Amino acid sequence: MPDSSEAAEQRRGQRLLFVSSLFAVLLNFPLLAVFDHEGRVGGIPVLYLYLLLLWLSIVLLTGWLVRK
């Protein structure tokens, strides 16, 4: 039977796997096609803004999960 630290590591691994799967779906073509149009937000193309915010959220969420 695993102790509490091993169980915590296993939960962390499961959460990181879920986060990577979620962002793989969010970076897949059908969803990217939704943001691929001529619109701009603050002068920045919507697709670029989506990718930048998604990348930032991947970094922050992964960092938070690893430190937790």
Side-chain angles (χ1 to χ4, degrees):
M1 183 165 174
D3 63 349
S4 63
S5 65
E6 290 177 9
E9 286 295 320
Q10 185 176 10
R11 280 193 310 273
R12 180 181 297 160
Q14 290 173 348
R15 288 177 182 152
L16 289 171
L17 181 62
F18 172 76
V19 167
S20 64
S21 300
L22 173 67
F23 286 112
V25 169
L26 292 174
L27 287 170
N28 207 348
F29 173 71
L31 196 54
L32 286 177
V34 170
F35 295 100
D36 190 19
H37 56 79
E38 296 297 323
R40 292 181 179 266
V41 175
I44 302 171
V46 176
L47 180 62
Y48 293 170
L49 187 62
Y50 172 73
L51 290 173
L52 179 66
L53 292 176
L54 192 61
W55 173 79
L56 182 63
S57 61
I58 289 171
V59 170
L60 292 176
L61 185 58
T62 303
W64 180 70
L65 284 174
V66 169
R67 286 186 157 255
K68 188 175 176 184

